[in-house]
Amino acid sequence: MESDSGKSVSPWLASVEMPQTKPLEKNIETDVGIVGAGISGLTTAYLLAREGKKVVVIDDGAIGDGETGRTTAHIVNALDDRYYVLERMHGQKGARLAAESHTEAINKVEEIVRAEKIDCEFERVDGYLFEPPGGDPKNIEREYHATRRAGIFVELVDKAPAPFETGRALKFPEQAQFHPLKYLRALALQIEKRGGAIFTKTRAENIEGGEPGKISTNGGKTISAKAIVVATNTPVNDRVIIHSKQTPYRTYVVAFAIPENSVPTILLWDNDMPYHYVRTQVVRNGSREETLLIVGGEDHKTGQHDEGSAPFGRLEHWTRERYPIAGEVRYRWSGQVMEPVDKLGYIGRNPMDEKNVYVITGDSGNGMTHGTIGGILITDLIMGRQNPWETLYDPKRKTHSIKSLKEYVRENADVAAQYADFLMRGEVASVDEIKPGFGAVLRRGTHLIAAARDEKGKVHERSAICPHLGCVVRWNHVEKTWDCPCHGSRYDLTGKVLNGPSLGDLAEVK
Ligand SMILES: Cc1cc2nc3c(=O)[nH]c(=O)nc-3n(C[C@H](O)[C@H](O)[C@H](O)COP(=O)(O)OP(=O)(O)OC[C@H]3O[C@@H](n4cnc5c(N)ncnc54)[C@H](O)[C@@H]3O)c2cc1C
Ligand code: FES
């Protein structure tokens, strides 16, 4: 399904109405100011409100319309990155703590769902990881041993319960899934019930720690807070440090209508490059109720391969070969995940900042649990309690292992290569070559222009230089946005900023 603007929409966004909220209209004082109303921000706000803290959350869009509205919501301790890789990067103790924290996060979601009687279709399910044909079967065996060393009970089975031959698979019991926006909606209502406030269409334009910390917003109003949490998926208050340690990737999802109970309710992942992730969900949209087979994958670095809707085509092909039962495509959407160089989130005090400014970022495709870990860990830090995961997720941690150092250099070299784009001639010679609903970078003298033609034929021109650190943005045809390949800032067709780290719009063309 696509929105009026042509952007992709997930079944979650299409099937839930969020509580009515307004922009911030006056200066406000609070215990904790939180930027970002996705799972990270709202879990943190909810847990702090439960501890009696006064919380104020702002979001520049609506509740849940960031990446949380685009997730596939596998809630897992079977992480996207293998435990044998985590062991190499963080040692055996680190891998154990990672396993423990993600397991605790699943339990925390379940505890909240039960405590608040949230109707969000939360259910425990088994997850299965398998090696695709042509892969190295030893990978599954290696992961089996590493996962057990990390303290997770897994089983080796001859085959996953899927309608196609998976070969040997690793079974992860006690994983979970839910409707992420029904969960978020309930968190928002509980935050307000406990005296907290949520303001939408309110962008943080400047964030300063200190006593008190201050969040200045686009409407000219200020939030003064004893502590500030920046939960904007990628931090908008950090200019360089964290952004040089993580890379934005785009990932794609297709949801097919299937007959009720025709596919087992499991989570399924392969070990392919790029990999695939599968689940089912019954979605109620108005009076219509249907079962969806939700298949994701085809990840690539943001802004580096605009193939239009080709990734959807590949996902559809992959699915139809394996699930002949898959019916009509009901939804197609894409989103962005942040891949930290050493595979774990950055959660804690913001590096080189006042000590009352905290960040949650680096979801690594496991944002349901990373966001929940963020809520637990930051709540402990603000409440002055020790938390055993603090060092593991510390945003200022160094990239210790040779492997992660190599990756750090490679990712940053790749980002640096993007600067060479300044020299390019532009993708088109003139705006006449741009069709309605498309955009392209063109060179005019020394300037690179991001030019997009809207569906009515009007051309919008902005500088193609990302105001964050000066990379050249790229057109994303699926979302009709300008995406920055360096650190993931995104802008709408007219150049208005949608996602940080950039805080400003693409500059006007003089
Ligand atoms: C297609 C896809 C599939 C995924 N599948 C899974 C999965 O199966 N399991 C899993 O665990 N994870 C998955 N993820 C990852 C997961 O969805 C994200 O990691 C998670 O939703 C991030 O939550 P968040 O709260 O940190 O960020 P978001 O949900 O993006 O929320 C951040 C909010 O901050 C707001 N914001 C940004 N800048 C500002 C500003 N300056 N001022 C005010 N507000 C601002 C944004 O509007 C946004 O609402 C998937 C992601 C995608 C895209
Ligand atoms: S997001 Fe950093 S340069 Fe664009």
Side-chain angles (χ1 to χ4, degrees):
M1 182 183 278
E2 291 189 338
S3 69
D4 295 343
S5 63
K7 289 183 208 158
S8 61
V9 174
S10 69
W12 328 121
L13 286 164
S15 61
V16 168
E17 267 190 38
M18 283 299 169
Q20 292 290 317
T21 43
K22 290 187 184 153
L24 181 67
E25 282 167 354
K26 58 176 190 197
N27 295 339
I28 202 164
E29 281 180 23
T30 186
D31 290 334
V32 187
I34 296 174
V35 186
I39 190 160
S40 307
L42 290 197
T43 306
T44 310
Y46 166 80
L47 292 176
L48 283 165
R50 229 164 66 164
E51 302 262 5
K53 292 283 179 198
K54 193 172 166 220
V55 295
V56 171
V57 183
I58 59 166
D59 196 290
D60 61 357
I63 297 170
D65 77 351
E67 302 312 322
T68 306
R70 308 183 150 261
T71 186
T72 48
H74 298 216
I75 314 170
V76 296
N77 58 16
L79 301 184
D80 281 14
D81 295 294
R82 303 286 84 92
Y83 277 95
Y84 57 80
V85 176
L86 291 180
E87 267 185 355
R88 243 179 6 233
M89 294 188 166
H90 299 274
Q92 227 178 81
K93 186 175 166 214
R96 279 191 87 86
L97 285 172
E100 176 192 291
S101 55
H102 285 270
T103 307
E104 280 300 307
I106 309 174
N107 295 341
K108 179 59 78 181
V109 172
E110 184 169 39
E111 183 248 302
I112 295 172
V113 168
R114 294 235 165 98
E116 307 299 354
K117 300 188 177 51
I118 302 176
D119 174 15
C120 62
E121 291 121 41
F122 176 91
E123 61 183 317
R124 290 281 186 169
V125 288
D126 294 333
Y128 292 85
L129 173 72
F130 68 96
E131 191 67 31
D136 182 354
K138 286 203 199 96
N139 286 335
I140 292 294
E141 200 124 334
R142 277 202 290 167
E143 184 63 353
Y144 169 76
H145 292 296
T147 310
R148 287 205 153 210
R149 282 194 297 274
I152 297 181
F153 176 76
V154 284
E155 286 173 70
L156 265 175
V157 294
D158 291 337
K159 171 186 184 317
F164 61 95
E165 190 44 65
T166 61
R168 257 183 139 196
L170 207 50
K171 175 180 172 186
F172 290 78
E174 293 291 296
Q175 309 298 294
Q177 61 177 27
F178 64 3
H179 185 308
L181 290 195
K182 287 190 179 173
Y183 179 70
L184 223 54
R185 180 176 197 280
L187 288 186
L189 292 172
Q190 288 301 327
I191 290 163
E192 287 176 342
K193 202 169 137 192
R194 288 173 160 82
I198 301 174
F199 299 98
T200 47
K201 294 207 168 86
T202 303
R203 188 194 303 169
E205 292 199 327
N206 192 41
I207 297 167
E208 274 172 43
E211 292 178 8
K214 278 207 164 69
I215 306 170
S216 312
T217 69
N218 54 338
K221 305 298 174 211
T222 305
I223 300 166
S224 306
K226 292 179 195 144
I228 295 175
V229 183
V230 181
T232 49
N233 197 31
T234 181
V236 291
N237 54 332
D238 171 271
R239 235 177 128 63
V240 178
I241 301 175
I242 292 180
H243 303 297
S244 60
K245 298 200 287 188
Q246 61 181 8
T247 310
Y249 277 73
R250 281 215 86 67
T251 180
Y252 297 82
V253 188
V254 180
F256 305 81
I258 52 168
E260 203 184 337
N261 298 325
S262 57
V263 170
T265 309
I266 57 165
L267 303 177
L268 188 69
W269 319 286
D270 69 15
N271 225 350
D272 214 345
M273 285 283 270
Y275 83 122
H276 300 91
Y277 45 100
V278 183
R279 65 170 282 195
T280 57
Q281 169 82 29
V282 178
V283 170
R284 287 170 209 98
N285 195 351
S287 58
R288 194 166 79 177
E289 178 175 308
E290 68 180 344
T291 309
L292 298 175
L293 176 69
I294 301 175
V295 182
E298 291 297 329
D299 302 20
H300 64 76
K301 278 191 188 172
T302 294
Q304 294 202 0
H305 307 267
D306 183 25
E307 308 171 279
S309 50
F312 292 131
R314 286 197 291 275
L315 277 181
E316 191 171 342
H317 180 73
W318 186 92
T319 309
R320 295 205 187 281
E321 271 195 337
R322 290 161 181 80
Y323 293 87
I325 198 98
E328 200 181 308
V329 171
R330 288 278 196 254
Y331 300 88
R332 305 193 313 178
W333 72 98
S334 75
Q336 184 158 286
V337 293
M338 303 308 299
E339 286 300 338
V341 68
D342 62 6
K343 317 296 182 195
L344 289 177
Y346 300 109
I347 301 167
R349 290 198 168 83
N350 190 38
M352 314 267 289
D353 202 339
E354 300 285 344
K355 61 180 191 314
N356 61 342
V357 181
Y358 303 85
V359 289
I360 303 174
T361 187
D363 52 50
S364 189
N366 296 117
M368 298 300 102
T369 38
H370 264 128
T372 308
I373 292 168
I376 301 170
L377 177 45
I378 302 283
T379 299
D380 278 351
L381 295 180
I382 289 177
M383 297 306 293
R385 293 191 293 254
Q386 290 208 317
N387 183 298
W389 315 325
E390 186 177 344
T391 310
L392 184 69
Y393 291 107
D394 188 348
K396 68 173 186 311
R397 71 179 181 263
K398 298 232 164 38
T399 43
H400 291 299
S401 81
I402 299 285
K403 170 97 167 79
S404 56
L405 270 176
K406 272 191 193 153
E407 265 193 47
Y408 178 85
V409 171
R410 188 173 54 75
E411 292 287 8
N412 279 291
D414 200 47
V415 166
Q418 295 296 317
Y419 287 85
D421 285 348
F422 277 111
L423 302 172
M424 75 182 180
R425 274 193 235 132
E427 293 164 297
V428 292
S430 115
V431 292
D432 298 341
E433 293 174 44
I434 303 172
K435 289 188 284 187
F438 282 78
V441 174
L442 58 101
R443 178 172 281 282
R444 200 171 287 147
T446 56
H447 298 290
L448 286 167
I449 315 284
R453 193 182 289 278
D454 65 26
E455 295 296 346
K456 290 185 181 140
K458 183 173 173 201
V459 175
H460 302 263
E461 291 189 0
R462 288 282 171 148
S463 163
I465 307 304
C466 174
H468 175 231
L469 289 176
C471 291
V472 178
V473 294
R474 297 287 169 78
W475 178 248
N476 172 344
H477 181 59
V478 169
E479 299 298 334
K480 316 274 188 232
T481 54
W482 293 104
D483 296 355
C484 181
C486 287
H487 315 107
S489 290
R490 298 181 58 239
Y491 307 86
D492 74 8
L493 183 142
T494 65
K496 190 168 159 300
V497 68
L498 295 170
N499 287 116
S502 173
L503 279 165
D505 302 338
L506 293 176
E508 284 184 23
V509 178
K510 295 208 174 74

